[in-house]
Amino acid sequence: MKIPNRIQPLVDDGLIDDVLQRLKSGKEADVYTVLCGDKIQCAKVYKEATQRSFKQAVQYQEGRKVRNSRNARAMQKGSKFGRKQQEETWQTAEVEALFRLANAGVRVPQPYLCIDGVLLMELVTDADGAVAPRLSDVTLDEETAIADFNTMIGNIVRMLCAGLVHGDLSEFNVLLDADGPVIIDLPQAVDAAANNHAESMFERDVNNITEYYGQFAPQLLKTRYAKEIWALYEDGKLTPETVLTGLFVEEQHDVDMDSLMDEIITAEDEYYDRQRAAKERDQQYE
């Protein structure tokens, strides 16, 4: 096939020998299979901000650290240089997340390098060596669904223990290879401790995965892993080895309505006393 313009520099530099086919065109990138020496790899070509359809990018970037203070100021001002730096930060976020998660034992594609908005990484394949299908394209029996669901929960826990929340996790960005699910598409991954939206994103991620596997094993729909895992994380008790139950009971506190009404009445009385005192002072000076 014709070599895309963004990939051509990597071909010129000898990093890629040929482009075999385009696998998909997504909301933030186009993905190709490429030949590197005698190995077939995956090249993810990120789209420019004007072409991306991914929404609420600012919400996902909250809490991300920019090492260079000049770059950070430029990004805040929204200058041309700042927008360029923001694009580079968005693109390198996935590379950093992939390396961090691979080191933490999370099943993700192995990243190799990222140059000028092109990420080279492992091509995930099935048992026959073909490109692994997305989870959304497969049908599972109940036993396999439960086993893969437990694997996914384990990977999600490892991600959180590594300080990251996927932020856009669903059956559309999980591949299924010979050994089970592999998580992909991480440019929007958020810092679990620094992003104010991390908890809601985490809950949405877990619920999306639960609903998908729940199609094949309805008993999974009764689990509450999102709440349980996040509560353990906030309490500093979450590790990759933590035994989970899938159960969670919201804390409930009895409200003493009589005491509450007394406090409200007292506050009102104090307010009106201050108002009367202020009016009396004003009348003294008239």
Side-chain angles (χ1 to χ4, degrees):
M1 65 172 290
K2 182 180 178 181
I3 297 174
N5 293 336
R6 297 280 297 281
I7 295 181
Q8 187 63 53
L10 280 75
V11 174
D12 296 339
D13 291 340
L15 297 172
I16 293 176
D17 294 304
D18 196 11
V19 178
L20 304 179
Q21 65 173 324
R22 184 166 73 175
L23 291 180
K24 71 167 188 174
S25 179
K27 53 191 173 185
E28 82 275 350
D30 293 327
V31 181
Y32 301 85
T33 53
V34 297
L35 187 63
C36 301
D38 58 353
K39 292 184 178 180
I40 298 178
Q41 295 180 2
C42 187
K44 186 171 186 175
V45 182
Y46 293 100
K47 294 180 178 179
E48 301 291 343
T50 54
Q51 298 176 302
R52 279 202 312 260
S53 60
F54 194 85
K55 306 299 184 184
Q56 298 176 316
V58 173
Q59 178 178 324
Y60 288 85
Q61 291 170 347
E62 178 185 303
R64 289 185 180 175
K65 296 179 181 179
V66 180
R67 296 183 181 88
N68 187 299
S69 58
R70 173 173 175 264
N71 292 352
R73 290 194 299 271
M75 289 167 64
Q76 290 176 349
K77 292 180 179 178
S79 64
K80 182 177 180 181
F81 174 75
R83 290 193 297 273
K84 181 176 182 295
Q85 293 303 310
Q86 196 158 8
E87 280 301 293
E88 292 180 2
T89 299
W90 177 265
Q91 293 165 8
T92 57
E94 180 162 31
V95 185
E96 294 175 356
L98 285 171
F99 275 112
R100 189 195 298 190
L101 295 178
N103 290 336
V106 180
R107 298 204 73 220
V108 294
Q110 178 63 46
Y112 300 126
L113 56 87
C114 185
I115 300 177
D116 295 331
V118 180
L119 168 61
L120 276 180
M121 58 184 172
E122 171 193 7
L123 177 66
V124 180
T125 58
D126 63 15
D128 299 320
V131 176
R134 289 190 299 180
L135 200 55
S136 59
D137 296 328
V138 301
T139 300
L140 304 171
D141 58 55
E142 182 177 339
E143 183 179 357
T144 302
I146 293 173
D148 285 1
F149 173 76
N150 289 331
T151 298
M152 278 297 298
I153 292 297
N155 278 297
I156 290 170
V157 167
R158 288 183 180 276
M159 287 181 65
L160 189 55
C161 289
L164 293 177
V165 173
H166 188 287
D168 192 35
L169 190 59
S170 72
E171 65 270 27
F172 298 103
N173 41 38
V174 176
L175 301 180
L176 194 62
D177 73 3
D179 298 316
V182 179
I183 297 172
I184 62 171
D185 294 340
L186 288 145
Q188 73 292 321
V190 302
D191 187 312
N195 191 302
N196 291 322
H197 307 283
E199 181 178 359
S200 60
M201 291 180 185
F202 178 81
E203 187 166 345
R204 183 180 62 199
D205 284 354
V206 176
N207 289 343
N208 284 344
I209 293 301
T210 302
E211 288 173 10
Y212 171 77
Y213 285 107
Q215 299 175 84
F216 312 105
Q219 62 268 40
L220 297 177
L221 298 174
K222 298 178 182 179
T223 61
R224 302 193 68 191
Y225 282 105
K227 295 284 189 184
E228 180 186 14
I229 293 169
W230 192 265
L232 289 167
Y233 168 72
E234 284 194 320
D235 289 342
K237 298 177 181 178
L238 186 68
T239 73
E241 290 74 37
T242 299
V243 177
L244 302 172
T245 65
L247 305 174
F248 184 80
V249 179
E250 301 278 1
E251 289 187 10
Q252 296 183 350
H253 303 282
D254 293 332
V255 178
D256 186 340
M257 290 302 298
D258 290 337
S259 297
L260 179 60
M261 291 304 299
D262 286 343
E263 290 181 13
I264 293 174
I265 292 171
T266 299
E268 288 182 341
D269 289 342
E270 291 176 350
Y271 170 77
Y272 288 120
D273 286 343
R274 289 194 297 271
Q275 291 289 94
R276 281 194 297 270
K279 186 176 181 180
E280 290 173 359
R281 285 196 302 269
D282 291 341
Q283 291 174 345
Q284 290 176 0
Y285 291 103
E286 288 179 356

